[in-house]
Amino acid sequence: VGSAFGATVNHVVLAACTQTLRRYLEAHGGAPEAPLVAAIPVSLRSPEELGSYGNRISALLVHLPVHLADPADQLLALRHDAASSKQQHARLGVGALGEWAEFTSTRLLAMAARFYSDRKLANRHRPLHNLVISNVRGPGSRLYVAGAPLCAAYPLGPLMDGVGLNITVLSYAESVDFGIVACERSVPHAGDIALGFGSAVGHLLKIALEKTSEN
């Protein structure tokens, strides 16, 4: 799919998320006329820092075009928006965020989060993003436990006040596994989202094969 559209695996993952979220929204009140905003954690580590300790992480804000009906249009829009977000990310010099977090105590961060939650501050402003999507590179070879193969690894990510959906994606061996955690009140019937990832990727593959055969 990525080769057919000049996109990366990350773009295809985001497109699958967009497609299944649009279907979910259509079934629960209707798709919005504007995109959703996803916060996507990114590592700030340089190649020389791989394997080192400390907090070196930031986040990109990417628009998920759930207002577009065509999956191909969604993928192309994501490819463009993700590239723009990376450029803005680089211009802002947000490496300072990771450095700040590294020198901030865990206790202070926990106190700030508790204060934010206890005061219900999330209800007093519009959230910066609607959901979190995290794509994690896992082991490239199959894992075994006492001789039994690990068939799949479904990751789980945290929720936060004002953001009731987390989609975490993990590549494992020859598969990509999607795991979701959702607030039951703000995102009811979240299983509908989970069941949509496979068909979304299959739909994108069909479009990519048709596009390749035409060329």
Side-chain angles (χ1 to χ4, degrees):
V1 175
S3 298
F5 288 94
T8 66
V9 172
N10 286 339
H11 296 149
V12 177
V13 166
L14 291 175
C17 293
T18 300
Q19 193 179 149
T20 189
L21 286 171
R22 176 180 170 85
R23 291 177 180 173
Y24 171 83
L25 291 168
E26 286 179 329
H28 295 82
E33 298 180 357
L36 298 178
V37 179
I40 302 176
V42 294
S43 173
L44 298 176
R45 294 185 188 280
S46 64
E48 295 76 19
E49 294 175 319
L50 292 177
S52 61
Y53 295 98
N55 298 311
R56 298 289 294 167
I57 191 170
S58 183
L60 295 176
L61 295 180
V62 175
H63 293 88
L64 302 183
V66 293
H67 60 299
L68 301 178
D70 185 78
D73 291 341
Q74 293 174 354
L75 177 55
L76 293 175
L78 280 163
R79 187 185 67 180
H80 178 268
D81 191 72
S84 299
S85 296
K86 284 186 177 180
Q87 292 175 357
Q88 295 176 3
H89 192 269
R91 286 197 298 266
L92 288 172
V94 290
L97 177 62
E99 294 170 2
W100 175 82
E102 188 171 356
F103 289 103
T104 303
S105 70
T106 303
R107 182 179 179 184
L108 181 59
L109 289 174
M111 290 174 59
R114 191 176 298 112
F115 177 85
Y116 184 84
S117 179
D118 291 344
R119 294 293 190 276
K120 301 186 183 302
L121 297 181
N123 297 331
R124 302 187 182 184
H125 65 88
R126 183 176 180 178
L128 295 176
H129 55 280
N130 305 106
L131 70 155
V132 175
I133 301 178
S134 182
N135 191 2
V136 182
R137 178 179 295 179
S141 57
R142 191 165 295 279
L143 302 179
Y144 294 82
V145 179
L150 177 66
C151 298
Y154 297 104
L156 303 176
L159 297 179
M160 60 186 72
D161 277 341
V163 180
L165 178 62
N166 181 298
I167 302 175
T168 302
V169 185
L170 178 70
S171 62
Y172 167 60
E174 298 178 352
S175 68
V176 176
D177 299 330
F178 291 75
I180 72 169
V181 175
C183 169
E184 185 177 10
R185 288 177 296 177
S186 57
V187 189
H189 307 292
D192 295 344
I193 300 174
L195 294 173
F197 293 121
S199 60
V201 175
H203 196 180
L204 286 168
L205 178 59
K206 180 181 178 182
I207 295 172
L209 291 174
E210 293 173 350
K211 178 179 174 65
T212 302
S213 63
E214 291 174 358
N215 296 333

